[in-house]
Amino acid sequence: MTTAAVSRSNGLARKPLAEILDNRNVLAFLCMLPAAALLLTFLTYPLGLGVWLGFTDTKIGRPGFFIGLENYVSLFDDSVFWLVVFNTLLYTTVATVLKFGLGLYLALLLNNHLPFKALLRAIVLLPWIVPTVLSAIAFWWIYDAQFSILSYMLEKMGLIDQYIDFLGTPNNARASLIAANVWRGIPFVAICLLAGLQTISPSLYEAAALDGATSWQRFRHVTVPMLMPILSIVLTFSVLFTFTDFQLIYAITRGGPVNSTHLMATLAFQRAIPGGQLGEGAAIATAMIPFLVAATLSSYFGLQRRKWQQGESDG
Amino acid sequence: MATVDIRSVHKAFGPTKVIHGVDISIADEEFVVLVGPSGCGKSTLLRMIAGLEQISDGQIAIGGKVVNDVAPKDRDIAMVFQNYALYPHMTVYDNMAFSLKLRKAEKSLIDQRVRQAADILGLNPYLERYPRQLSGGQRQRVAMGRAIVRDPQVFLFDEPLSNLDAKLRVQMRTEIKALHQRLKTTSIYVTHDQVEAMTMADRIVVMHDGIVEQVGSPLELYDHPANIFVAGFIGSPAMNFYPGTLKRNGGIWVEAEDGTRLPAPGNVGGADGQKVVYGVRPEHLTLSGGSSGVQAKVDVVEPTGADTLVFSKIAGVNTCAVFSERHDFRPGQEIRLQPRLDVVHLFDAASGQHL
């Protein structure tokens, strides 16, 4: 009788804890704690610190004071800042359009039956695998004013009579950097879209062929709509990567000539670290946030499950 | 509507030959079923008619016109796929209207055709839904609707019912047959299910390993199978086979390997001493009393309600017998089964051909 009572009271004592752990919400919260702690330490804290610094006049070696929106007010009147915003938008837009056009084309090519398919796909990934700085240095040489292999070849082919100054004039430098970014970014787009293409059932194309669709109509009415969900994810990532690009610019032009290739990320670094104005640099970096939020939101709405994706999934 | 002629068609994928010379003539308004086990080439043949596979050798003509080099879209055929192949991003209406839209048909004509097809198939309440929101049977109907809207010369069906559950399959089988009786469009239907073939076909083409084993009406194949393969493939449960030797010594019988005497009909061909295979369908075995018939040892009894299936061993071979009356045999019980002599089949053991 006593043993029974003891074990019963033990059972009662343990019951609340076990019951709490049985609760799905509590369990989910507990399981998310480690991840949340990591995010808070390594993402939220630096982000918060950056935003805070933007409201101070901190310099390297001197703790700053809260100065409200003064940094932003001075940036508003800073023509270099607005040039850089323009550069960033131009860089992002042109590079993204090119990356998607060429990446989709490449993905469609690789989706065909080709000899050495696996090898070709591996080769396509190469530009993405090479460290950015390494490829940046390679591009720096390709674009060099005196030793450019590109100018050399074009001259030998008789297309130009004097070497092109790739990085010396603003528009040439912008175009050169965009080309380098596109070269690096295509593999990511192509491989992701290829994965998307491979999920499309071949019988859809056969049905469309029997329905009388030409190959352009099959692309337009089958491939594109079926690819849209993955396309919008890849587009978001690509826009975010391109908008925040730093390495390529800093390694090839450092923002020159005359700030014509500075992006917001490189300008923020330039002012904060070599320039010592931590507060102002942080304000420039913080100014990127609205653009990034806008890009993310637009993709969020683009990503929402389309009507045809809803419902039973036992396809 | 049109005839379809398949003339000594071959198909090879690289060095692998899958179809070795097939000849079939399909009449206008006919419903032909290609049936055979997996890998017999029936789907490949259908895809060649559709133009989805190249024809390695031979000719296919639709409505008298050779279509070997005609693109699928210009063959005026419609196909229903096994996985339906509905466009997931289009509503039921748009799925059915797609081919007419591509042909730049008048909006009013498209609307009329789609609504007409939806009426026939009972799809009117679902026109604005997406394929994902439909059940398997409804998707199947949309796939057929898409074919009907086109009003093609020939319908091709590639195992359209194999993704449905058993009950729905029986129902859709009847619907497809009723649809054909109404539209009278020449139809070619591929299946591995011989019951589907038997119930739907005007004519059945039995294929095996890339050749045509036999062509005929369902009952022709059932009553007069040309060889062991057709005999074993058509009919459910399958025919019982006993290897043995034909004896003509006073009477005619087949002596099974263990010496059991299987009675044979008097008019059968074949020489004394010839190695043969003795075939009898489960429904052609009757229970006999006394000393007539062949001794069988009961293994399992399966009552299905309508019929009773009795599995037993005759001459060491697993034997199935179907009785419409009920029996309650015990496992191990000895019974005697009498084959109906007028429907016993003898096949040459070497060639497999009917004697």
Side-chain angles (χ1 to χ4, degrees):
Chain A
M1 194 64 199
T2 28
T3 45
V6 166
S7 70
R8 201 165 152 203
S9 71
N10 271 354
L12 277 174
R14 253 186 272 121
K15 211 177 174 190
L17 182 64
E19 222 164 55
I20 288 170
L21 283 178
D22 262 349
N23 185 322
R24 288 177 61 97
N25 293 330
V26 175
L27 202 62
F29 177 75
L30 283 178
C31 291
M32 280 192 303
L33 264 185
L38 280 173
L39 279 176
L40 281 173
T41 319
F42 294 108
L43 275 174
T44 315
Y45 171 70
L47 184 67
L49 184 64
V51 173
W52 164 248
L53 284 174
F55 292 116
T56 67
D57 60 354
T58 310
K59 290 189 169 57
I60 285 181
R62 200 203 76 183
F65 299 97
F66 181 77
I67 54 167
L69 291 172
E70 217 169 279
N71 281 331
Y72 294 96
V73 171
S74 80
L75 280 179
F76 195 81
D77 293 328
D78 181 350
S79 64
V80 173
F81 174 72
W82 288 113
L83 175 67
V84 165
V85 171
F86 166 77
N87 286 343
T88 312
L89 291 176
L90 178 80
Y91 183 76
T92 308
T93 313
V94 177
T96 304
V97 167
L98 287 176
K99 271 190 270 198
F100 270 77
L102 296 170
L104 181 59
Y105 178 66
L106 197 57
L108 289 170
L109 279 186
L110 288 174
N111 199 31
N112 287 331
H113 290 289
L114 297 167
F116 309 111
K117 196 152 75 173
L119 184 70
L120 276 175
R121 286 181 188 170
I123 290 174
V124 166
L125 265 181
L126 271 182
W128 202 53
I129 295 166
V130 177
T132 311
V133 174
L134 197 62
S135 53
I137 291 171
F139 270 106
W140 188 35
W141 271 106
I142 291 172
Y143 293 147
D144 189 277
Q146 285 182 52
F147 304 106
S148 166
I149 185 165
L150 216 56
S151 292
Y152 175 80
M153 289 196 320
L154 289 175
E155 193 187 39
K156 287 285 164 205
M157 280 190 270
L159 294 174
I160 52 171
D161 13 296
Q162 66 177 61
Y163 273 31
I164 300 171
D165 191 4
F166 285 106
L167 301 176
T169 63
N171 283 337
N172 274 1
R174 284 177 183 144
S176 303
L177 284 178
I178 287 171
N181 180 277
V182 168
W183 181 79
R184 272 193 63 77
I186 283 179
F188 175 73
V189 176
I191 294 295
C192 289
L193 294 186
L194 179 61
L197 284 176
Q198 285 175 338
T199 62
I200 303 176
S201 159
S203 62
L204 284 185
Y205 291 108
E206 292 175 350
L210 289 174
D211 272 344
T214 59
S215 55
W216 164 250
Q217 285 168 327
R218 288 200 290 274
F219 175 75
R220 161 85 187 69
H221 295 290
V222 179
T223 311
V224 172
M226 300 296 288
L227 214 52
M228 272 326 277
I230 198 158
L231 202 76
S232 53
I233 298 179
V234 180
L235 186 66
T236 312
F237 275 97
S238 178
V239 166
L240 293 186
F241 290 155
T242 316
F243 195 87
T244 56
D245 199 6
F246 173 85
Q247 294 184 63
L248 208 57
I249 312 297
Y250 208 75
I252 298 179
T253 64
R254 296 194 183 235
V258 216
N259 297 325
S260 60
T261 60
H262 251 316
L263 301 188
M264 291 173 86
T266 52
L267 186 73
F269 176 78
Q270 181 78 39
R271 298 242 168 124
I273 310 298
Q277 307 285 346
L278 277 179
E280 197 184 340
I284 295 171
T286 308
M288 293 167 78
I289 294 178
F291 293 102
L292 296 177
V293 169
T296 315
L297 277 184
S298 65
S299 70
Y300 171 78
F301 289 113
L303 269 179
Q304 275 183 329
R305 278 161 76 85
R306 279 155 188 77
K307 216 171 163 203
W308 58 267
Q309 288 174 292
Q310 287 162 2
E312 290 297 307
S313 57
D314 57 324
Chain B
M1 271 153 265
T3 58
V4 177
D5 290 294
I6 299 165
R7 301 184 198 119
S8 57
V9 161
H10 290 71
K11 177 67 187 176
F13 293 104
T16 323
K17 290 192 173 130
V18 290
I19 292 182
H20 319 271
V22 165
D23 289 273
I24 308 168
S25 283
I26 296 165
D28 194 13
E29 301 189 5
E30 202 176 11
F31 195 111
V32 168
V33 175
L34 306 180
V35 67
S38 314
C40 71
K42 57 192 188 299
S43 281
T44 308
L45 187 60
L46 192 77
R47 292 169 60 80
M48 286 197 283
I49 299 171
L52 299 173
E53 299 282 357
Q54 286 291 314
I55 300 162
S56 301
D57 195 18
Q59 277 185 338
I60 292 179
I62 297 174
K65 181 182 162 221
V66 175
V67 293
N68 283 34
D69 299 316
V70 177
K73 69 185 174 84
D74 300 322
R75 294 190 184 195
D76 202 7
I77 40 148
M79 184 157 167
V80 177
F81 291 83
Q82 180 174 355
N83 61 2
Y84 320 137
L86 301 179
Y87 309 117
H89 55 288
M90 296 185 198
T91 60
V92 169
Y93 186 97
D94 290 333
N95 260 285
M96 296 207 276
F98 187 59
S99 62
L100 292 177
K101 279 183 187 162
L102 290 178
R103 282 174 171 70
K104 301 203 164 44
E106 293 279 330
K107 263 219 159 69
S108 58
L109 177 77
I110 296 177
D111 196 63
Q112 181 206 333
R113 289 264 198 97
V114 170
R115 303 223 173 254
Q116 206 176 347
D119 266 339
I120 296 174
L121 296 162
L123 285 170
N124 270 319
Y126 310 112
L127 284 178
E128 295 312 313
R129 293 213 193 163
Y130 289 92
R132 282 208 145 180
Q133 300 162 318
L134 300 178
S135 69
Q138 290 164 344
R139 287 181 210 178
Q140 181 57 60
R141 286 207 190 92
V142 178
M144 291 201 295
R146 197 164 63 174
I148 295 173
V149 164
R150 298 259 313 272
D151 190 20
Q153 304 247 31
V154 182
F155 280 139
L156 305 176
F157 297 90
D158 190 5
E159 309 214 18
L161 303 185
S162 47
N163 286 1
L164 300 179
D165 65 54
K167 198 175 168 193
L168 202 53
R169 206 177 303 160
V170 173
Q171 187 193 332
M172 291 303 294
R173 195 161 88 191
T174 320
E175 279 188 26
I176 294 179
K177 189 162 184 181
L179 193 68
H180 176 253
Q181 282 164 357
R182 175 170 178 172
L183 300 174
K184 301 206 184 312
T185 308
T186 311
S187 301
I188 306 175
Y189 186 106
V190 161
T191 179
H192 60 267
D193 181 353
Q194 59 93 19
V195 180
E196 250 171 53
M198 294 291 281
T199 50
M200 300 174 81
D202 293 329
R203 267 197 312 157
I204 297 179
V205 176
V206 182
M207 291 187 66
H208 181 220
D209 285 345
I211 58 161
V212 172
E213 294 279 0
Q214 193 175 357
V215 182
S217 72
L219 293 181
E220 263 170 48
L221 299 191
Y222 180 84
D223 291 335
H224 308 289
N227 52 47
I228 291 191
F229 179 80
V230 177
F233 195 80
I234 299 291
S236 171
M239 190 185 274
N240 301 301
F241 293 112
Y242 310 92
T245 314
L246 184 64
K247 300 281 185 189
R248 290 177 182 276
N249 192 358
I252 301 179
W253 70 92
V254 169
E255 195 167 289
E257 279 153 357
D258 71 343
T260 308
R261 286 184 172 201
L262 300 162
N267 58 353
V268 75
D272 183 39
Q274 187 175 352
K275 291 282 179 204
V276 295
V277 173
Y278 182 96
V280 62
R281 295 192 186 277
E283 53 274 32
H284 296 152
L285 287 168
T286 53
L287 204 60
S288 73
S291 61
S292 68
V294 188
Q295 188 174 329
K297 198 172 168 188
V298 175
D299 288 327
V300 175
V301 178
E302 289 180 355
T304 63
D307 300 313
T308 307
L309 272 65
V310 177
F311 293 91
S312 58
K313 280 205 173 58
I314 293 179
V317 176
N318 287 322
T319 302
C320 177
V322 177
F323 302 107
S324 53
E325 66 278 10
R326 298 184 179 182
H327 292 289
D328 193 17
F329 302 122
R330 281 169 289 103
Q333 188 178 345
E334 302 276 351
I335 55 173
R336 293 190 81 81
L337 294 173
Q338 173 68 43
R340 270 180 55 195
L341 288 188
D342 53 332
V343 283
V344 157
H345 301 277
L346 289 190
F347 303 95
D348 179 55
S351 68
Q353 293 303 307
H354 200 285
L355 291 176

